[in-house]
Amino acid sequence: MKILRRFRNIFRYEKLDAEMAEEMRLHVELQAERNVNAGMNQTEAHYAALRQFGNAGVIQEQARDVRGWRWADDFLQDLRHGVRLLLKNAGFTLAAVTILALGIGANTAVFNLVHTLLFAPPTYARPGEVVRLQSQDSRDPKKIRDFSYLAYRDIRATNDFLSDTLATALLVAGLGEKGDTRRIASAAVSANYFAVLGVQPAQGRAFRPEEETPGQASPVVIVSHAFWKKHQLDAAMLGSTLLINSRPYTVIGIMPEGFTGTTNLFFTELWFPLGVYDLVVGAGGKDSGHQLSDPDSADLMVIGRLKPGLTVATAEPALQALGASLARVYPAQQKDQRLTMAPPSRFASHSNDIAVAWVGFLLLGMAGIVLLVACLNLANMLLARGAARQKEIALRLALGGGRSRIVRQLLTEGLLLALLGGAGGLLLAFWSSDLLSASLGRMIPVDLVWSGRPSPAVLAAAFGFCLASVPVFGLGPALRLSRGDLMTLLKEQSAVIVRRRWRFLPRNPLVAVQIALSLALLTTAALFIRSAASASAAETGLKADRVFLIELDADLGGLAPVQARQLYSRLGARLAGLPGVESASVATDVPLSGQDPEKRVQRAGEGESATSAKWNGVGEDYFSAAGLTLQRGRTFSATEANEAGSNPVVIVNDRLARQLWPDGEPLGRLVQLADDPAVSYEVIGVVPATRHTLFESQPDPGFYLPLARGFQGHVYYHVKVRPELAADETATADLLRRAVHEVDPTLPILSLKSFAVHLDSNIQIWIVRSGAEIFSAFGGLALCLAIAGVYGVVACSVTQRTREIGIRMALGAPAGGVQRMIVGEGMVTLASGVAAGFLMALGIGKMVGSLLYRVGAFDPVALTLAPALLALATFLACWLPARRAAKVDPVIALRAE
Amino acid sequence: MTHHKADLLQGTLDLLILKSLQNEPMHGFGIAVRIGQMSKDMLTVEQGSLYPALYRLEDQGWIKAEWGISDNNRKAKFYTLTAAGRKQLTTEEQSWAKLSTAINLVLGNA
């Protein structure tokens, strides 16, 4: 209460002060009247009254103290003084604010990202109780999978540790009219999904139990608030019909604002009942796909809510009991499987939260270093400027100003600077966040819940960075400046001739620390740049420099597989016949697409030889179009590629061939797919292996099926064009798009790009590249700040030491010697900074090692170049002022004082 | 300070102010006069020092201030005892009584 009243008083300050003066004036008047009544004359009475009242000024001062205004009074005074000083030194203010804005901006941007990724709470109720169950291969713990619908039903019915259990599968659905399909993140969910998550539709209803049954194709959909917003919050949304994968679905519900389903970064925009899963996925008519009701499928994420009082640890025995009973019901599927339970991933179905968290904290740490360097730099600037203010401060101390008051005033000035810097930093942060999210948006076809818009948490963080930076850059200088060595300072700054005993210690430790921190960042940046360079040069194994990729999905167009196969065959012929096209072929996969499906494959009749391999269903001209040279044997014939009933044949890559027949001839051998051992495929050719993920050191084993045998609706046409077409990407893309639409105007084109662009948009390459960009930005920032710091300090010291230099030269020191002395002192600072920074860089290098691509943490190139760059820049920053020092004319220097 | 007939003990000014406000609201000058009257001019306060004390009491919530019109038709700030102030007055009166008894005992006057 009292605090509140005092706080309010600050704002009523002027009014209360006027009232107090008025009250006291009245008092004096009344006393004077009394005095007149007692027989004094007017003037006498007035003065007597004043005497009786006492010293009004002192009393008012006391009264203000009582009301707690002293603090506010001082603060306002400091603020006014600070604003005047900052305006007077506009150049200094601008420099300081810019430095702080860079530091605070970098931190706010990174915080914005990390906050969204790691700290923003999930959008469902009581996230602490929610766990995800998975099934782990006990022979190969890296293999973790989800469950079939049947297994989910059993888990839900028989477990005794979850209060309820939901099932969901994340999907991508094609929304919209035929030619213009938008891919949209969606989820097929069990009927109790919303109830288990504790969030009900804001409008309309949730799904009914009967809508969950596999094959029960009730065409209903629930949309997110964000989806609704994209349609201008249309009041008619509820009950309207959406065209999804070319089928009509009725909107029966709209979720409340902010609900994003079970993931945080990726918006789920549409929810379907599990009953339409097969329709949405398009698996309903697949030759070799899994329907939802298939016990062999493992497409459903199973998420449950722990019963009150249970934790992941205490529920473990119950979980293993559940696993044992599942294994009895599904002996084939659950053989050698062990159930695991953990809080669900915040990002997507299969990602490593710990790795993401780790990157987040790494980024925060890096940004923190930048802010630290910025603060140290500013501290230096304040000290240098303080030298000019020392006389002012000494005078105030001499007149009785308290030291704490002076420190407080200097800190208030610092706070002003920090707030201005923070405002600049926020602008910078929003701008860079937008850049980052736009660059991520190019990579991922679905919407991201992430923007540079101010959220309360981010604003609070920016303000926190401001407040935290004030003591770091302001306290040291304030304490040092207010120490005031009165007499020496009040006399002209006569004898600032420096006595130094420890010549090998850096003259300015702040600068040395800055250099060390910058070197650490620069080295990290260099590691990432090296890594990005080698990632860009990564070989996929395809010679695809003149290849365009057209990504199509007949499932999203609502075509049945038979029609789709015919369509693809016609389209292949049309594309191959275009002028300027050398060859064209369809394939279900392209290296580094991020999907890269696998199948288990075995020598015919030898189940124990089964091994996982990448597979690709391709057309007859695939190997020439994709630039993959056949090592031996032959490629598919047109009949084999297009007719499902033709001879079963397969082409394997050399890795798989070596794995299956370590010392034998693969051609003519028979292989089977583990999930369909009825068909034996004859190996007719061997091709070189291709690389599907950047971080694997070896290309993957893989095999190629004719498209007719390994069909899926989602395909990539590989179109190899002549050089003249390859040069004009836009025109060629138009040509290809027109050709696709001529064959079927309703077929959705998901993407159309050159192979080079495809590689560029690979998420792993993106990570390495963004790492290089972000760390280069941080490193560059830190380098600039450190260099500015070195230059400022050396230049300032040269100015202060003009007299000393003058004496040295008058006594016969050669100009070169003076220059060497100044540069030498700078180099001592540099050397100590580099030594410390080098150690830090080694440490950071070790920490980021796992994120680097084909570059060791102790990469000699990075560890040489970064210090060399830093040393060169520091040398220049010392040399320029040193040259000025060498030009000091001793006569002028000595006369100057 | 020679005109002080008896120096005020630390903290007693508060008690005197609260006491003088016991019966009716008063403005600052009125309080000064009342204290003089009540003590038969044995106690006079340096008038100005009333005000910091008044603000302190207001800050404690024992009195509250309102603008009003004085006897001779002037705008003046009137101070009123609050309920908390009344309680405080009783407490302070009791502790003063105890203190003065104790001191009298020590001085052998009782």
Side-chain angles (χ1 to χ4, degrees):
Chain A
M1 249 337 270
K2 211 188 277 182
I3 304 257
L4 259 181
R5 194 160 52 228
R6 289 216 170 144
F7 191 67
R8 209 180 52 217
N9 282 346
I10 292 174
F11 297 101
R12 300 192 305 168
Y13 179 88
E14 307 262 315
K15 183 165 172 275
L16 288 175
D17 215 35
E19 280 185 14
M20 177 168 71
E22 166 65 20
E23 196 176 9
M24 291 179 181
R25 199 183 52 76
L26 178 76
H27 185 116
V28 172
E29 262 178 43
L30 289 174
Q31 180 67 47
E33 275 172 31
R34 233 171 121 92
N35 292 350
V36 168
N37 289 344
M40 296 189 193
N41 73 35
Q42 284 288 347
T43 330
E44 211 180 325
H46 181 67
Y47 283 119
L50 281 180
R51 268 196 309 280
Q52 280 164 305
F53 190 79
N55 186 336
V58 170
I59 288 165
Q60 290 192 1
E61 217 34 61
Q62 286 170 355
R64 284 188 196 120
D65 272 359
V66 165
R67 280 189 164 153
W69 285 344
R70 176 65 170 280
W71 173 83
D73 211 14
D74 289 355
F75 182 68
L76 287 177
Q77 199 186 345
D78 287 350
L79 220 51
R80 277 194 291 267
H81 188 64
V83 170
R84 268 203 304 276
L85 274 177
L86 294 186
L87 286 178
K88 204 174 116 199
N89 299 311
F92 171 85
T93 309
L94 193 68
V97 167
T98 312
I99 288 175
L100 276 175
L102 291 174
I104 294 174
N107 277 275
T108 310
V110 169
F111 176 84
N112 191 8
L113 172 65
V114 173
H115 176 260
T116 317
L117 290 185
L118 301 174
F119 301 127
T123 54
Y124 44 82
R126 303 188 305 286
E129 301 168 358
V130 174
V131 291
R132 175 177 177 193
L133 304 190
Q134 284 186 300
S135 187
Q136 187 179 39
D137 191 329
S138 45
R139 288 168 307 182
D140 184 357
K142 271 202 225 157
K143 290 206 168 138
I144 296 178
R145 61 165 172 78
D146 289 314
F147 300 92
S148 68
Y149 180 71
L150 295 176
Y152 158 67
R153 299 288 310 189
D154 283 353
I155 291 172
R156 187 174 175 215
T158 58
N159 88 78
D160 55 1
F161 57 100
L162 299 170
S163 56
D164 200 358
T165 317
L166 67 85
T168 172
L170 300 180
L171 310 167
V172 175
L175 169 82
E177 299 300 327
K178 321 214 156 169
D180 179 27
T181 306
R182 184 164 80 88
R183 278 191 294 182
I184 213 169
S186 52
V189 302
S190 55
N192 62 353
Y193 177 86
F194 298 106
V196 176
L197 292 183
V199 183
Q200 289 299 323
Q203 293 184 41
R205 62 168 177 92
F207 297 125
R208 300 205 176 98
E210 64 270 21
E211 286 166 342
E212 175 186 315
T213 320
Q216 171 80 42
S218 321
V220 290
V221 64
I222 292 177
V223 302
S224 72
H225 188 274
F227 181 90
W228 190 32
K229 211 163 163 183
K230 276 185 204 149
H231 293 80
Q232 290 77 43
L233 302 177
D234 185 359
M237 172 62 78
L238 197 66
S240 69
T241 302
L242 298 177
L243 205 58
I244 297 162
N245 295 359
S246 302
R247 284 193 184 80
Y249 286 78
T250 308
V251 177
I252 58 157
I254 299 173
M255 291 309 291
E257 189 164 7
F259 180 74
T260 59
T262 51
T263 57
N264 255 24
L265 184 58
F266 300 97
F267 247 135
T268 303
E269 291 189 75
L270 301 177
W271 287 272
F272 300 99
L274 273 180
V276 300
Y277 175 85
D278 294 339
L279 274 184
V280 178
V281 175
K286 263 192 193 172
D287 292 348
S288 61
H290 291 303
Q291 296 206 4
L292 187 62
S293 52
D294 182 344
D296 281 334
S297 70
D299 298 326
L300 292 187
M301 288 169 60
V302 172
I303 291 175
R305 202 173 264 289
L306 284 171
K307 282 189 176 158
L310 284 179
T311 65
V312 170
T314 55
E316 182 65 23
L319 178 72
Q320 293 318 323
L322 174 69
S325 83
L326 267 191
R328 280 193 296 277
V329 185
Y330 303 100
Q333 290 81 8
Q334 293 300 119
K335 182 169 176 276
D336 294 322
Q337 293 284 320
R338 186 180 165 280
L339 294 192
T340 64
M341 175 163 63
S345 162
R346 303 160 64 90
F347 310 112
S349 52
H350 295 283
S351 66
N352 187 344
D353 283 19
I354 293 171
V356 178
W358 167 221
V359 174
F361 283 114
L362 185 72
L363 284 176
L364 267 186
M366 297 285 140
I369 294 183
V370 171
L371 185 57
L372 191 58
V373 172
C375 284
L376 292 177
N377 205 309
L378 195 52
N380 253 331
M381 287 172 62
L382 285 171
L383 275 177
R385 193 186 62 144
R389 280 180 68 185
Q390 267 176 339
K391 279 176 85 179
E392 172 207 330
I393 290 168
L395 196 61
R396 288 175 60 174
L397 285 170
L399 291 179
R403 188 176 172 202
S404 73
R405 184 78 172 71
I406 289 173
V407 169
R408 214 160 11 137
Q409 198 232 310
L410 291 172
L411 285 181
T412 308
E413 282 175 47
L415 181 68
L416 274 176
L417 283 177
L419 290 180
L420 287 174
L426 270 181
L427 290 181
L428 215 69
F430 294 147
W431 174 70
S432 57
S433 292
D434 280 346
L435 275 189
L436 206 56
S437 101
S439 109
L440 196 59
R442 253 184 283 134
M443 225 60 45
I444 299 167
V446 294
D447 273 19
L448 293 173
V449 197
W450 181 31
S451 76
R453 271 188 298 284
S455 72
V458 171
L459 287 179
F463 189 64
F465 291 132
C466 288
L467 289 189
S469 64
V470 175
V472 180
F473 71 74
L475 196 59
L479 289 177
R480 170 111 171 249
L481 292 177
S482 63
R483 203 163 54 210
D485 198 345
L486 277 183
M487 292 327 286
T488 27
L489 285 173
L490 280 179
K491 286 189 261 163
E492 268 313 318
Q493 74 251 43
S494 48
V496 201
I497 290 177
V498 193
R499 271 177 303 134
R500 284 169 54 76
R501 230 172 279 161
W502 305 96
R503 293 184 131 248
F504 53 89
L505 280 188
R507 185 175 268 273
N508 192 318
L510 284 184
V511 174
V513 175
Q514 283 185 51
I515 289 179
L517 293 174
S518 324
L519 178 60
L521 285 183
L522 268 184
T523 313
T524 318
L527 286 174
F528 271 92
I529 292 172
R530 293 260 300 144
S531 200
S534 46
S536 300
E539 282 288 323
T540 56
L542 301 184
K543 287 199 181 44
D545 46 335
R546 282 183 279 128
V547 168
F548 280 78
L549 295 172
I550 311 172
E551 186 183 2
L552 302 169
D553 196 339
D555 291 343
L556 297 188
L559 287 181
V562 181
Q563 296 167 295
R565 252 195 343 253
Q566 290 166 351
L567 173 65
Y568 286 163
S569 159
R570 281 207 307 281
L571 183 56
R574 174 78 183 106
L575 288 172
L578 285 175
V581 170
E582 290 183 357
S583 58
S585 171
V586 69
T588 56
D589 188 29
V590 56
L592 297 183
S593 66
Q595 293 157 344
D596 306 321
E598 293 193 346
K599 278 183 196 287
R600 287 181 74 75
V601 57
Q602 61 199 34
R603 291 192 293 268
E606 298 178 45
E608 68 279 10
S609 68
T611 176
S612 278
K614 308 277 180 209
W615 73 276
N616 197 349
V618 301
E620 68 267 31
D621 284 333
Y622 173 76
F623 298 98
S624 61
L628 202 56
T629 332
L630 195 67
Q631 287 177 331
R632 24 209 325 212
R634 63 173 179 92
T635 57
F636 301 127
S637 70
T639 326
E640 284 163 347
N642 295 319
E643 282 169 32
S646 60
N647 281 340
V649 286
V650 65
I651 293 173
V652 298
N653 71 21
D654 49 359
R655 289 261 305 154
L656 181 64
R658 261 202 306 282
Q659 212 162 325
L660 288 179
W661 303 281
D663 42 5
E665 168 62 48
L667 288 184
R669 303 286 193 116
L670 294 181
V671 295
Q672 295 164 342
L673 301 181
D675 59 4
D676 183 19
V679 186
S680 290
Y681 294 83
E682 185 195 344
V683 177
I684 58 165
V686 180
V687 292
T690 55
R691 190 187 295 277
H692 290 254
T693 50
L694 276 186
F695 285 79
E696 293 292 332
S697 56
Q698 291 283 333
D700 310 279
F703 62 98
Y704 299 84
L705 293 173
L707 183 70
R709 292 267 175 191
F711 183 77
Q712 68 179 30
H714 183 210
V715 296
Y716 299 86
Y717 270 89
H718 292 53
V719 182
K720 182 157 193 163
V721 298
R722 297 222 177 88
E724 60 271 21
L725 278 190
D728 188 352
E729 287 200 12
T730 331
T732 308
D734 281 345
L735 175 76
L736 296 177
R737 185 172 288 116
R738 271 200 310 277
V740 173
H741 282 154
E742 276 166 32
V743 174
D744 184 347
T746 68
L747 190 63
I749 297 180
L750 298 180
S751 68
L752 202 171
K753 55 196 171 191
S754 69
F755 196 79
V757 172
H758 161 73
L759 289 187
D760 275 355
S761 55
N762 174 267
I763 188 82
Q764 287 173 313
I765 294 185
W766 181 83
I767 288 174
V768 174
R769 266 202 201 145
S770 316
E773 278 165 20
I774 292 172
F775 286 108
S776 304
F778 285 170
L781 258 179
L783 177 69
C784 291
L785 290 173
I787 296 310
V790 172
Y791 179 83
V793 165
V794 176
C796 189
S797 111
V798 165
T799 313
Q800 281 174 354
R801 293 165 66 190
T802 308
R803 191 179 145 94
E804 176 202 336
I805 294 169
I807 293 174
R808 281 175 192 267
M809 292 179 80
L811 292 178
V818 168
Q819 196 166 342
R820 267 199 303 281
M821 173 185 79
I822 302 284
V823 173
E825 282 171 6
M827 289 300 114
V828 172
T829 310
L830 173 70
S832 49
V834 166
F838 204 74
L839 292 178
M840 268 194 269
L842 290 181
I844 295 181
K846 236 180 147 36
M847 288 196 289
V848 300
S850 61
L851 300 173
L852 297 174
Y853 177 66
R854 289 203 191 164
V855 175
F858 305 121
D859 181 57
V861 177
L863 287 180
T864 323
L865 278 185
L869 177 67
L870 187 76
L872 182 69
T874 315
F875 176 78
L876 282 179
C878 293
W879 182 68
L880 289 175
R883 216 174 45 150
R884 217 177 60 216
K887 285 190 187 140
V888 165
D889 182 339
V891 179
I892 294 174
L894 292 176
R895 202 190 290 147
E897 294 183 19
Chain B
M1 308 286 160
T2 45
H3 56 276
H4 271 205
K5 286 160 190 140
D7 279 333
L8 281 174
L9 272 172
Q10 188 77 37
T12 45
L13 182 56
D14 288 5
L15 174 59
L16 293 182
I17 293 175
L18 292 177
K19 185 71 190 170
S20 59
L21 288 175
Q22 195 174 17
N23 296 326
E24 51 178 342
M26 256 189 284
H27 52 67
F29 182 69
I31 295 173
V33 172
R34 172 62 66 86
I35 291 176
Q37 284 170 353
M38 288 193 302
S39 69
K40 304 217 165 60
D41 282 336
M42 295 259 289
L43 291 173
T44 46
V45 287
E46 191 190 25
Q47 294 176 359
S49 63
L50 259 184
Y51 288 91
L54 280 172
Y55 299 145
R56 188 169 54 242
L57 293 175
E58 191 185 354
D59 197 45
Q60 304 274 19
W62 291 332
I63 59 176
K64 64 174 201 275
E66 262 168 346
W67 286 96
I69 303 298
S70 75
D71 301 340
N72 43 8
N73 258 338
R74 302 253 185 111
K75 206 166 145 250
K77 208 174 190 179
F78 281 85
Y79 293 91
T80 319
L81 211 54
T82 62
R86 257 172 227 295
K87 223 191 232 157
Q88 179 66 19
L89 177 58
T90 327
T91 325
E92 284 197 21
E93 276 176 340
Q94 284 164 355
S95 65
W96 176 259
K98 268 190 209 146
L99 181 68
S100 72
T101 318
I103 290 182
N104 283 335
L105 279 174
V106 171
L107 298 178
N109 295 346

